[in-house]
Amino acid sequence: MTLTVIQQRKVEENMGLVHQVIKDKVHGYNQWGFYTYDDLFQIGCVGLCKAAATDKGGTFSTYAYRLIWHEICDALIQSTKRYSDEITADVTPYKKVETENGEFLSGLRIDLFQALSSARREAPPSTAKGIDAMVMMSQGYTSSEIGERMGASAKLVCAWMSKARKFLKERPETEAIAVYRS
């Protein structure tokens, strides 16, 4: 949007309106995690520019106040909807599977667990150890800790995982896992 010199001056003279709208209308903005004050201020400035570009006379501050508030509202509604959609997608299990160690998996983790289990059965012994090591690393263990548990050095564990990654890259059902980096 290109503003004329007069419209730009109007925006500069009314920048305080953006702060006033945030102060009056947005409560607890720092608790939501969606936007910081600076983000809201920038969004409000877009509303202020729109007000300057479309002003047809009258009391500019009243008109601009409403457009600033509408711009901020639209952004907050959109971010709330996006956050809600992400939460819904994250917590939608379609079935549960119990692993050998009693852990319950659901959704995508089931698919990955089943793909890894299938690949492990078909892998050579050192590659199977690498797959096991990758699983342990995804649970937060370091190469040294995995080595201690498997009776090997950390360097050997890394070599096993490297073989496992190459092996998994050749399997379409484990393509998402193959890009895992130690």
Side-chain angles (χ1 to χ4, degrees):
M1 160 183 357
T2 305
L3 299 177
T4 66
V5 174
I6 295 169
Q7 292 169 336
Q8 288 175 6
R9 192 173 310 120
K10 203 177 270 194
V11 167
E12 292 169 2
E13 292 170 356
N14 289 282
M15 291 291 275
L17 275 174
V18 177
H19 169 72
Q20 192 62 45
V21 170
I22 294 170
K23 182 180 167 202
D24 292 348
K25 300 284 192 175
V26 183
H27 304 287
Y29 65 84
N30 56 348
Q31 299 170 1
W32 295 346
F34 300 127
Y35 293 112
T36 64
Y37 176 85
D38 291 337
D39 294 330
L40 293 175
F41 193 86
Q42 287 181 343
I43 293 165
C45 286
V46 170
L48 180 60
C49 289
K50 286 181 180 180
T54 59
D55 183 34
K56 295 184 181 7
T59 308
F60 178 74
S61 60
T62 304
Y63 178 65
Y65 190 97
R66 291 183 61 118
L67 264 63
I68 293 165
W69 175 231
H70 286 286
E71 199 72 23
I72 292 172
C73 279
D74 288 346
L76 292 174
I77 289 167
Q78 188 65 26
S79 68
T80 302
K81 182 182 178 332
R82 185 173 50 241
Y83 177 76
S84 175
D85 290 345
E86 289 173 3
I87 291 298
T88 302
D90 284 348
V91 296
T92 311
Y94 57 90
K95 61 182 177 177
K96 286 188 174 180
V97 168
E98 186 174 1
T99 65
E100 295 168 5
N101 64 359
E103 179 187 10
F104 282 96
L105 303 175
S106 63
L108 178 61
R109 291 187 65 204
I110 293 171
D111 297 337
L112 295 176
F113 175 75
Q114 290 172 341
L116 278 177
S117 296
S118 171
R120 190 186 183 291
R121 283 191 296 274
E122 297 172 18
S126 63
T127 304
K129 288 179 184 179
I131 292 171
D132 292 340
M134 289 173 71
V135 170
M136 291 172 72
M137 188 162 279
S138 74
Q139 295 169 343
Y141 293 98
T142 65
S143 298
S144 300
E145 293 169 333
I146 295 168
E148 286 176 27
R149 293 181 131 207
M150 298 178 92
S153 71
K155 288 184 180 183
L156 185 55
V157 169
C158 291
W160 289 339
M161 288 193 299
S162 179
K163 278 185 172 182
R165 277 193 296 275
K166 288 177 186 170
F167 179 78
L168 293 171
K169 282 181 182 178
E170 297 170 4
R171 300 177 62 88
E173 69 271 22
T174 58
E175 192 173 325
I177 303 164
V179 296
Y180 177 79
R181 294 185 183 157
S182 55

